[in-house]
Coordinates of all heavy atoms in Angstrom, one line a residue:
M1 N 84.7 87.1 136.2 CA 85.2 88.2 135.4 C 86.7 88.3 135.9 O 87.0 88.3 137.0 CB 84.5 89.4 135.8 CG 85.2 90.6 135.1 SD 84.2 92.1 134.8 CE 83.6 92.8 136.4
N2 N 87.6 88.4 134.9 CA 89.0 88.5 135.1 C 89.5 89.8 134.5 O 89.5 90.0 133.3 CB 89.8 87.4 134.5 CG 91.2 87.3 134.8 OD1 91.7 88.0 135.7 ND2 92.0 86.4 134.3
I3 N 89.9 90.7 135.3 CA 90.4 92.1 134.9 C 91.9 92.1 134.9 O 92.3 91.9 136.1 CB 89.8 93.3 135.6 CG1 88.2 93.2 135.6 CG2 90.2 94.6 135.2 CD1 87.5 94.1 136.5
D4 N 92.6 92.5 133.9 CA 94.0 92.6 134.0 C 94.4 94.1 134.3 O 94.1 95.1 133.7 CB 94.5 92.4 132.4 CG 96.0 92.4 132.3 OD1 96.7 92.3 133.5 OD2 96.6 92.5 131.3
L5 N 95.0 94.0 135.4 CA 95.5 95.3 136.1 C 97.0 95.4 136.0 O 97.6 96.4 136.6 CB 94.9 95.4 137.6 CG 93.5 95.4 137.7 CD1 93.1 95.4 139.2 CD2 92.8 96.7 137.1
Q6 N 97.7 94.4 135.5 CA 99.1 94.6 135.3 C 99.6 95.8 134.7 O 99.0 96.3 133.5 CB 99.7 93.4 134.6 CG 101.2 93.3 134.7 CD 101.7 91.9 134.5 OE1 100.9 90.9 134.5 NE2 102.8 91.8 134.3
G7 N 100.6 96.4 135.1 CA 101.1 97.8 134.6 C 100.4 99.0 134.9 O 100.7 100.1 134.5
K8 N 99.4 98.9 135.8 CA 98.7 100.0 136.4 C 99.6 100.7 137.4 O 100.5 100.1 137.9 CB 97.3 99.7 137.0 CG 96.4 99.1 136.0 CD 95.8 100.2 135.2 CE 94.6 99.7 134.3 NZ 94.2 100.7 133.4
R9 N 99.2 101.9 137.7 CA 100.0 102.7 138.8 C 99.2 102.9 140.0 O 98.1 103.3 139.8 CB 100.5 104.1 138.2 CG 101.4 103.8 137.0 CD 101.9 105.1 136.4 NE 102.9 105.0 135.4 CZ 102.7 104.7 134.1 NH1 101.6 104.6 133.6 NH2 103.8 104.6 133.4
A10 N 99.8 102.9 141.2 CA 99.3 103.0 142.5 C 100.1 103.9 143.3 O 101.4 104.1 143.1 CB 99.1 101.7 143.2
L11 N 99.5 104.7 144.1 CA 100.2 105.6 145.0 C 99.8 104.9 146.4 O 98.7 104.9 146.8 CB 99.7 107.0 145.0 CG 100.1 107.9 146.2 CD1 101.6 108.0 146.3 CD2 99.5 109.3 145.9
V12 N 100.8 104.5 147.2 CA 100.6 104.1 148.6 C 101.2 104.9 149.6 O 102.4 104.9 149.7 CB 101.0 102.5 148.7 CG1 100.7 102.0 150.1 CG2 100.3 101.6 147.6
C13 N 100.4 105.5 150.4 CA 100.8 106.4 151.5 C 101.0 105.5 152.8 O 100.0 104.7 153.0 CB 100.0 107.5 151.8 SG 99.7 108.5 150.3
G14 N 102.1 105.7 153.4 CA 102.3 104.8 154.6 C 103.0 103.5 154.2 O 102.8 102.4 154.9
A15 N 103.7 103.5 153.1 CA 104.4 102.3 152.6 C 105.6 101.9 153.3 O 106.2 100.9 152.8 CB 104.5 102.6 151.0
S16 N 106.0 102.6 154.3 CA 107.3 102.1 154.8 C 107.1 101.1 155.8 O 108.1 100.5 156.3 CB 107.9 103.5 155.6 OG 107.0 103.9 156.5
R17 N 105.9 100.8 156.2 CA 105.8 99.6 157.2 C 104.2 99.2 157.3 O 103.4 99.7 156.8 CB 106.2 100.1 158.6 CG 105.5 101.1 159.3 CD 106.2 101.7 160.5 NE 105.5 102.9 161.0 CZ 105.2 102.9 162.3 NH1 105.6 102.1 163.2 NH2 104.6 104.0 162.8
G18 N 104.1 98.0 158.1 CA 102.8 97.6 158.4 C 101.9 97.4 157.2 O 102.3 96.8 156.2
I19 N 100.6 97.6 157.3 CA 99.7 97.5 156.2 C 100.0 98.1 155.0 O 99.7 97.7 153.9 CB 98.3 97.8 156.8 CG1 97.8 96.9 157.9 CG2 97.2 97.8 155.7 CD1 96.5 97.2 158.7
G20 N 100.5 99.3 155.1 CA 100.9 100.2 153.9 C 102.0 99.4 153.1 O 101.8 99.2 151.9
R21 N 103.0 98.9 153.8 CA 104.0 98.2 153.2 C 103.5 96.8 152.5 O 103.8 96.6 151.3 CB 105.1 97.8 154.2 CG 106.1 96.9 153.6 CD 107.2 96.6 154.5 NE 108.3 97.7 154.5 CZ 109.3 97.7 155.4 NH1 109.4 96.9 156.4 NH2 110.2 98.8 155.3
A22 N 102.5 96.1 153.2 CA 102.0 95.0 152.7 C 101.1 95.2 151.5 O 101.1 94.4 150.6 CB 101.1 94.3 153.9
C23 N 100.4 96.3 151.5 CA 99.6 96.6 150.2 C 100.5 97.0 149.0 O 100.3 96.5 147.9 CB 98.8 97.9 150.6 SG 97.3 97.6 151.7
A24 N 101.5 97.7 149.4 CA 102.6 98.1 148.2 C 103.1 96.8 147.7 O 103.2 96.7 146.4 CB 103.6 99.0 148.8
L25 N 103.7 96.0 148.5 CA 104.3 94.7 148.1 C 103.3 93.8 147.3 O 103.7 93.1 146.3 CB 105.0 94.0 149.3 CG 106.1 94.7 149.9 CD1 106.6 93.9 151.2 CD2 107.2 94.8 148.9
A26 N 102.1 93.7 147.9 CA 101.0 92.9 147.1 C 100.9 93.5 145.7 O 100.7 92.6 144.8 CB 99.7 92.9 147.9
L27 N 100.7 94.7 145.5 CA 100.5 95.4 144.3 C 101.7 95.2 143.4 O 101.5 94.8 142.2 CB 100.2 97.0 144.4 CG 98.8 97.2 145.0 CD1 98.8 98.7 145.5 CD2 97.8 97.0 144.1
L28 N 102.9 95.4 143.9 CA 104.2 95.1 143.1 C 104.2 93.7 142.6 O 104.4 93.4 141.4 CB 105.3 95.4 143.9 CG 105.5 97.0 144.1 CD1 106.5 97.2 145.2 CD2 106.0 97.6 142.9
D29 N 103.8 92.7 143.5 CA 103.8 91.4 143.2 C 102.8 91.0 142.1 O 103.0 90.1 141.4 CB 103.4 90.6 144.4 CG 103.6 89.1 144.2 OD1 104.7 88.6 143.7 OD2 102.6 88.3 144.5
R30 N 101.8 91.8 141.8 CA 100.8 91.6 140.8 C 101.0 92.4 139.6 O 100.1 92.6 138.8 CB 99.4 91.8 141.4 CG 99.0 90.7 142.4 CD 97.9 91.1 143.4 NE 97.5 90.0 144.1 CZ 98.1 89.6 145.3 NH1 99.3 90.2 145.6 NH2 97.7 88.7 146.0
G31 N 102.2 93.0 139.5 CA 102.5 93.7 138.2 C 102.3 95.2 138.2 O 102.4 95.9 137.2
W32 N 101.9 95.8 139.3 CA 101.6 97.3 139.4 C 102.9 98.1 139.5 O 103.9 97.6 140.0 CB 100.8 97.6 140.6 CG 99.3 97.2 140.5 CD1 98.9 95.9 140.3 CD2 98.3 98.1 140.4 NE1 97.5 95.9 140.3 CE2 97.0 97.3 140.4 CE3 98.1 99.4 140.6 CZ2 95.8 97.8 140.3 CZ3 96.8 100.0 140.5 CH2 95.7 99.1 140.4
H33 N 102.9 99.2 139.1 CA 103.9 100.2 139.3 C 103.5 101.0 140.6 O 102.3 101.5 140.6 CB 104.2 101.2 138.1 CG 104.6 100.5 136.9 ND1 105.9 100.5 136.5 CD2 103.9 99.9 135.9 CE1 106.0 99.8 135.4 NE2 104.8 99.4 135.0
V34 N 104.4 101.1 141.6 CA 103.9 101.6 142.8 C 104.8 102.8 143.3 O 105.8 102.7 143.5 CB 103.7 100.7 143.9 CG1 103.2 101.2 145.2 CG2 102.8 99.5 143.5
V35 N 104.1 104.0 143.6 CA 104.9 105.0 144.2 C 104.6 104.9 145.8 O 103.6 104.7 146.3 CB 104.1 106.4 143.8 CG1 104.9 107.6 144.6 CG2 104.2 106.6 142.4
L36 N 105.7 104.7 146.4 CA 105.9 104.4 147.9 C 106.0 105.9 148.5 O 107.1 106.5 148.5 CB 107.1 103.5 148.1 CG 107.2 102.2 147.3 CD1 108.4 101.6 147.6 CD2 105.9 101.3 147.7
A37 N 105.0 106.2 149.2 CA 105.0 107.5 150.0 C 105.1 107.2 151.4 O 104.5 106.3 152.0 CB 103.9 108.5 149.7
G38 N 105.9 108.0 152.2 CA 106.0 107.9 153.6 C 107.0 109.1 154.1 O 107.6 109.7 153.2
R39 N 107.0 109.2 155.4 CA 107.9 110.4 155.8 C 109.4 110.1 155.8 O 110.1 111.0 155.8 CB 107.5 110.7 157.2 CG 106.1 111.4 157.4 CD 105.6 111.6 158.7 NE 105.3 110.2 159.4 CZ 105.2 110.0 160.6 NH1 105.4 111.0 161.5 NH2 104.8 108.8 161.0
R40 N 109.8 108.8 155.9 CA 111.2 108.5 156.0 C 111.7 107.7 154.7 O 111.1 106.7 154.4 CB 111.5 107.7 157.2 CG 111.2 108.5 158.5 CD 111.3 107.8 159.8 NE 110.1 106.7 159.8 CZ 110.4 105.5 160.2 NH1 111.5 105.1 160.6 NH2 109.4 104.6 160.2
K41 N 112.8 108.2 154.2 CA 113.3 107.7 153.0 C 113.9 106.2 153.1 O 113.5 105.3 152.3 CB 114.4 108.6 152.5 CG 115.0 108.2 151.1 CD 116.2 109.1 150.7 CE 116.8 108.7 149.5 NZ 117.7 109.6 148.9
V42 N 114.6 106.0 154.1 CA 115.2 104.6 154.4 C 114.2 103.5 154.4 O 114.3 102.5 153.6 CB 116.2 104.6 155.4 CG1 116.7 103.3 155.8 CG2 117.4 105.5 155.1
P43 N 113.1 103.6 155.2 CA 112.1 102.6 155.2 C 111.5 102.3 153.9 O 111.0 101.3 153.5 CB 111.2 103.0 156.3 CG 112.0 103.8 157.2 CD 112.9 104.6 156.3
L44 N 111.2 103.5 153.2 CA 110.7 103.4 151.9 C 111.5 102.5 150.8 O 111.1 101.7 150.2 CB 110.3 104.7 151.2 CG 109.3 105.5 151.9 CD1 109.2 106.9 151.4 CD2 107.9 104.8 151.9
E45 N 112.9 102.9 151.0 CA 113.8 102.1 150.1 C 113.8 100.6 150.6 O 114.0 99.8 149.7 CB 115.2 102.7 150.1 CG 115.3 104.0 149.5 CD 116.5 104.8 149.8 OE1 117.3 104.5 150.7 OE2 116.7 105.8 149.0
E46 N 113.6 100.4 151.8 CA 113.6 99.0 152.2 C 112.4 98.2 151.7 O 112.4 97.0 151.2 CB 113.6 98.9 153.8 CG 114.9 99.3 154.5 CD 114.7 99.5 155.9 OE1 113.7 99.4 156.5 OE2 115.8 99.8 156.6
T47 N 111.2 98.9 151.7 CA 110.1 98.4 151.1 C 110.3 98.0 149.6 O 110.1 97.0 149.1 CB 108.8 99.3 151.2 OG1 108.6 99.5 152.6 CG2 107.6 98.7 150.5
A48 N 110.8 98.9 148.9 CA 111.3 98.8 147.5 C 112.1 97.5 147.3 O 111.9 96.7 146.4 CB 111.9 100.0 146.9
S49 N 113.1 97.4 148.2 CA 114.1 96.2 148.0 C 113.4 95.0 148.4 O 113.7 93.9 147.8 CB 115.3 96.5 148.8 OG 115.1 96.4 150.2
M50 N 112.4 95.0 149.2 CA 111.7 93.8 149.5 C 110.9 93.2 148.3 O 110.4 92.0 148.3 CB 110.7 94.0 150.7 CG 111.5 94.3 152.0 SD 110.4 94.9 153.3 CE 109.5 93.3 153.7
A51 N 110.7 94.0 147.4 CA 109.9 93.6 146.2 C 110.8 92.7 145.3 O 110.3 92.3 144.2 CB 109.4 94.9 145.4
G52 N 112.0 92.5 145.6 CA 112.9 91.6 144.7 C 113.0 92.1 143.3 O 113.4 93.3 143.1
E53 N 112.8 91.1 142.4 CA 112.9 91.5 141.0 C 111.9 92.7 140.5 O 112.2 93.1 139.4 CB 112.9 90.3 140.1 CG 111.5 89.5 140.2 CD 111.5 88.2 139.4 OE1 112.5 87.5 139.6 OE2 110.5 88.1 138.6
R54 N 110.9 92.8 141.3 CA 110.0 93.8 141.0 C 110.3 95.3 141.5 O 109.6 96.2 141.4 CB 108.5 93.6 141.4 CG 108.0 92.2 140.8 CD 107.4 92.5 139.5 NE 106.5 93.5 139.4 CZ 106.1 94.1 138.2 NH1 106.7 93.6 137.0 NH2 105.5 95.0 138.2
S55 N 111.5 95.3 142.2 CA 111.9 96.6 142.9 C 112.0 97.8 141.9 O 111.8 98.9 142.4 CB 113.1 96.4 143.8 OG 114.2 96.1 142.9
S56 N 112.3 97.5 140.7 CA 112.4 98.6 139.7 C 111.1 99.3 139.4 O 111.0 100.3 138.8 CB 113.2 98.1 138.5 OG 112.3 97.2 137.8
Y57 N 110.0 98.6 139.8 CA 108.6 99.1 139.7 C 108.2 100.0 140.8 O 107.1 100.5 140.8 CB 107.6 98.0 139.3 CG 107.9 97.3 138.0 CD1 108.7 96.3 137.9 CD2 107.2 97.8 136.8 CE1 109.1 95.7 136.7 CE2 107.4 97.2 135.6 CZ 108.4 96.0 135.6 OH 108.6 95.5 134.3
A58 N 109.0 100.0 141.8 CA 108.6 100.8 143.1 C 109.3 102.0 143.0 O 110.5 102.2 142.7 CB 109.1 99.9 144.3
V59 N 108.7 103.2 143.3 CA 109.3 104.6 143.3 C 109.1 105.1 144.7 O 108.0 105.7 145.1 CB 108.6 105.3 142.3 CG1 109.2 106.8 142.2 CG2 108.6 104.7 140.9
P60 N 110.2 105.0 145.5 CA 110.1 105.7 146.8 C 110.1 107.1 146.8 O 111.2 107.7 146.2 CB 111.3 105.1 147.6 CG 112.0 104.1 146.6 CD 111.4 104.3 145.3
V61 N 109.2 107.8 147.3 CA 109.1 109.3 147.4 C 108.8 109.8 148.8 O 107.7 109.6 149.2 CB 108.2 109.8 146.4 CG1 108.2 111.4 146.5 CG2 108.4 109.4 145.0
P62 N 109.9 110.2 149.6 CA 109.4 110.8 151.0 C 108.6 111.8 150.9 O 108.8 112.8 150.2 CB 110.9 111.0 151.5 CG 111.9 110.4 150.6 CD 111.2 110.3 149.3
A63 N 107.5 111.8 151.7 CA 106.6 112.9 151.8 C 105.7 112.6 153.0 O 105.2 111.6 153.2 CB 105.8 113.0 150.6
D64 N 105.4 113.8 153.7 CA 104.5 113.8 154.9 C 103.1 114.2 154.2 O 102.9 115.3 154.0 CB 105.0 114.7 155.9 CG 103.9 114.7 157.2 OD1 102.9 114.0 157.1 OD2 104.4 115.3 158.1
V65 N 102.2 113.3 154.0 CA 101.0 113.5 153.3 C 100.0 114.2 154.2 O 99.0 114.7 153.7 CB 100.4 112.3 152.6 CG1 101.2 111.8 151.6 CG2 100.0 111.2 153.7
G66 N 100.4 114.5 155.4 CA 99.6 115.4 156.3 C 100.0 116.9 156.1 O 99.4 117.8 156.8
D67 N 100.9 117.1 155.2 CA 101.4 118.6 155.0 C 101.1 118.9 153.5 O 101.6 118.2 152.6 CB 102.9 118.5 155.2 CG 103.7 119.8 154.9 OD1 103.2 120.6 154.0 OD2 104.6 120.2 155.6
R68 N 100.3 120.0 153.3 CA 99.9 120.3 152.0 C 101.0 120.5 151.1 O 101.0 120.1 149.9 CB 99.1 121.6 152.0 CG 97.7 121.3 152.5 CD 96.8 122.5 152.5 NE 95.7 122.4 153.3 CZ 94.4 122.6 152.8 NH1 94.3 123.0 151.6 NH2 93.4 122.3 153.6
E69 N 102.1 121.2 151.5 CA 103.2 121.5 150.6 C 104.0 120.3 150.3 O 104.5 120.1 149.2 CB 104.2 122.5 151.4 CG 103.6 124.0 151.4 CD 104.6 124.9 152.1 OE1 105.7 124.6 152.2 OE2 104.1 125.9 152.6
A70 N 104.0 119.3 151.2 CA 104.7 118.1 150.9 C 103.9 117.3 149.9 O 104.5 116.6 149.0 CB 105.0 117.2 152.2
V71 N 102.6 117.2 149.9 CA 101.8 116.6 149.0 C 102.0 117.3 147.5 O 102.1 116.5 146.6 CB 100.3 116.7 149.5 CG1 99.4 116.1 148.3 CG2 100.1 115.8 150.7
S72 N 102.1 118.5 147.6 CA 102.3 119.1 146.3 C 103.7 118.7 145.7 O 103.8 118.5 144.5 CB 102.3 120.7 146.5 OG 100.9 121.2 146.7
A73 N 104.6 118.7 146.5 CA 106.0 118.2 146.1 C 106.0 116.9 145.6 O 106.6 116.4 144.7 CB 106.9 118.4 147.3
L74 N 105.2 116.1 146.4 CA 105.1 114.5 146.0 C 104.4 114.5 144.6 O 105.0 113.7 143.7 CB 104.1 113.8 147.0 CG 103.7 112.4 146.6 CD1 104.7 111.4 146.5 CD2 102.5 112.0 147.6
F75 N 103.4 115.2 144.3 CA 102.9 115.1 142.9 C 103.8 115.7 141.9 O 103.8 115.3 140.6 CB 101.5 115.7 142.9 CG 100.3 114.8 143.5 CD1 99.8 115.1 144.8 CD2 100.1 113.6 142.8 CE1 99.0 114.2 145.3 CE2 99.1 112.9 143.4 CZ 98.6 113.1 144.6
E76 N 104.4 116.7 142.1 CA 105.5 117.3 141.3 C 106.6 116.2 140.9 O 107.0 116.1 139.9 CB 106.2 118.6 141.8 CG 105.3 119.7 141.8 CD 104.8 120.0 140.3 OE1 105.7 120.0 139.4 OE2 103.6 120.3 140.1
E77 N 107.1 115.6 142.1 CA 108.0 114.4 141.8 C 107.5 113.4 140.9 O 108.3 112.8 140.2 CB 108.4 113.9 143.2 CG 109.6 112.9 143.2 CD 110.9 113.3 142.6 OE1 111.1 114.7 142.7 OE2 111.7 112.5 142.1
M78 N 106.3 113.0 141.1 CA 105.6 112.0 140.3 C 105.6 112.4 138.9 O 105.9 111.6 138.0 CB 104.2 111.7 140.8 CG 104.2 110.9 142.1 SD 102.6 110.8 143.0 CE 101.7 109.9 141.6
K79 N 105.2 113.7 138.5 CA 105.3 114.2 137.3 C 106.7 114.1 136.8 O 106.8 113.8 135.5 CB 104.8 115.8 137.2 CG 103.3 115.9 137.4 CD 103.0 117.3 137.3 CE 101.7 117.5 137.8 NZ 101.2 119.0 137.9
K80 N 107.7 114.5 137.4 CA 109.1 114.5 137.0 C 109.5 113.0 136.6 O 110.3 112.9 135.7 CB 110.0 115.0 138.1 CG 110.1 116.4 138.3 CD 111.1 116.7 139.3 CE 110.9 118.1 139.9 NZ 111.9 118.4 141.0
R81 N 109.0 112.1 137.2 CA 109.3 110.7 137.0 C 108.3 110.1 136.0 O 108.2 108.9 135.9 CB 109.3 109.9 138.3 CG 110.4 110.4 139.2 CD 110.4 109.5 140.6 NE 111.2 110.0 141.5 CZ 112.1 109.2 142.3 NH1 111.8 108.0 142.2 NH2 112.8 109.7 143.1
N82 N 107.5 110.9 135.3 CA 106.6 110.5 134.3 C 105.5 109.5 134.8 O 105.1 108.6 134.2 CB 107.4 109.8 133.1 CG 106.6 109.7 131.9 OD1 105.6 110.6 131.6 ND2 106.8 108.8 131.0
I83 N 105.0 110.0 136.1 CA 103.8 109.3 136.5 C 102.8 110.3 136.8 O 102.5 110.8 137.8 CB 104.2 108.6 138.0 CG1 105.4 107.7 137.8 CG2 103.0 107.8 138.5 CD1 106.0 107.3 139.1
P84 N 102.0 110.6 135.7 CA 101.1 111.9 135.6 C 99.8 111.4 136.5 O 99.2 112.4 136.9 CB 100.8 112.1 134.3 CG 101.0 110.7 133.6 CD 102.0 110.2 134.4
K85 N 99.5 110.2 136.6 CA 98.2 109.8 137.3 C 98.4 108.4 137.8 O 99.2 107.6 137.4 CB 97.0 109.9 136.3 CG 97.1 109.0 135.1 CD 95.8 109.2 134.3 CE 95.8 108.2 133.2 NZ 94.7 108.2 132.3
V86 N 97.5 108.0 138.7 CA 97.4 106.8 139.3 C 96.0 106.1 139.1 O 95.0 106.9 139.0 CB 97.9 106.7 140.8 CG1 99.4 107.2 140.9 CG2 97.1 107.5 141.7
S87 N 95.9 104.8 139.1 CA 94.7 104.1 139.1 C 94.1 103.9 140.5 O 92.9 103.6 140.5 CB 94.8 102.9 138.3 OG 95.3 103.1 137.0
L88 N 95.0 103.9 141.4 CA 94.6 103.5 142.7 C 95.4 104.3 143.8 O 96.6 104.4 143.6 CB 94.8 102.0 143.0 CG 94.7 101.4 144.4 CD1 93.1 101.4 144.7 CD2 95.3 100.0 144.5
S89 N 94.8 104.8 144.9 CA 95.5 105.4 145.9 C 95.1 104.6 147.3 O 94.0 104.5 147.5 CB 95.1 106.9 146.0 OG 95.8 107.5 147.0
V90 N 96.2 104.3 148.0 CA 96.0 103.7 149.4 C 96.6 104.6 150.3 O 97.8 104.9 150.3 CB 96.7 102.3 149.3 CG1 96.6 101.7 150.8 CG2 96.1 101.4 148.3
D91 N 95.8 105.0 151.2 CA 96.2 105.9 152.4 C 96.1 105.2 153.7 O 95.1 105.2 154.3 CB 95.4 107.2 152.3 CG 95.9 108.2 153.4 OD1 96.9 107.9 154.0 OD2 95.2 109.3 153.6
H92 N 97.3 104.6 154.0 CA 97.3 103.9 155.4 C 98.5 104.4 156.1 O 99.4 103.7 156.4 CB 97.5 102.3 155.2 CG 97.1 101.7 156.4 ND1 97.8 101.6 157.5 CD2 95.9 101.2 156.8 CE1 97.2 100.9 158.5 NE2 96.0 100.7 158.0
R93 N 98.4 105.6 156.5 CA 99.6 106.2 157.4 C 99.2 106.1 158.7 O 97.9 105.9 159.1 CB 99.7 107.6 156.9 CG 98.6 108.5 156.8 CD 98.8 109.7 156.0 NE 97.5 110.3 155.8 CZ 97.1 111.4 156.4 NH1 97.9 112.1 157.2 NH2 95.8 111.8 156.3
N94 N 100.2 106.0 159.4 CA 100.0 105.7 161.0 C 100.1 106.9 161.7 O 101.1 107.6 162.1 CB 101.2 104.9 161.4 CG 100.9 104.2 162.8 OD1 99.8 104.3 163.3 ND2 102.0 103.6 163.3
R95 N 98.9 107.5 162.0 CA 98.8 108.9 162.8 C 97.7 108.8 163.8 O 96.7 108.3 163.6 CB 98.5 110.0 161.8 CG 99.6 110.4 160.9 CD 100.2 111.5 161.3 NE 101.4 111.7 160.5 CZ 102.0 113.0 160.4 NH1 101.5 113.9 160.9 NH2 103.1 113.0 159.7

């Protein structure tokens, strides 16, 4: 069975390094649009730039997903950027 997932949207928490970054880059490489969430903006931007020509499909949004208010702000930012829902959520934060 071959399922076309290109163009789907994902939220990857912990996308600034390690396994979270690897997951985000793998999804981007396969045609996904990926919201990159993590506590620090610069490492998220680095993850986006590592995607090369797919970097425009990466949306870095700094957020501490351990904080309820930050999570609400994350979803509000996603709505502002016309990302009302995601098909996949990866939570690999380092805590």
Side-chain angles (χ1 to χ4, degrees):
M1 176 158 59
N2 189 7
I3 301 171
D4 181 16
L5 297 175
Q6 191 162 343
K8 295 288 186 180
R9 293 178 171 89
L11 167 62
V12 179
C13 301
S16 60
R17 63 187 177 138
I19 294 171
R21 175 178 272 173
C23 289
L25 292 172
L27 289 165
L28 287 161
D29 187 51
R30 286 162 180 79
W32 287 64
H33 298 264
V34 181
V35 176
L36 308 171
R39 290 176 285 162
R40 296 173 295 135
K41 181 179 181 178
V42 171
L44 294 173
E45 291 171 343
E46 290 170 356
T47 299
S49 70
M50 291 171 73
E53 62 186 47
R54 299 279 314 157
S55 63
S56 64
Y57 293 87
V59 180
V61 181
D64 180 354
V65 296
D67 176 326
R68 287 179 192 236
E69 289 181 21
V71 171
S72 293
L74 168 65
F75 284 108
E76 285 302 315
E77 183 64 25
M78 289 170 60
K79 285 181 192 175
K80 285 180 192 174
R81 295 183 186 216
N82 200 26
I83 306 168
K85 64 180 181 174
V86 295
S87 302
L88 174 71
S89 177
V90 177
D91 183 6
H92 197 279
R93 47 199 172 108
N94 193 12
R95 291 253 170 162

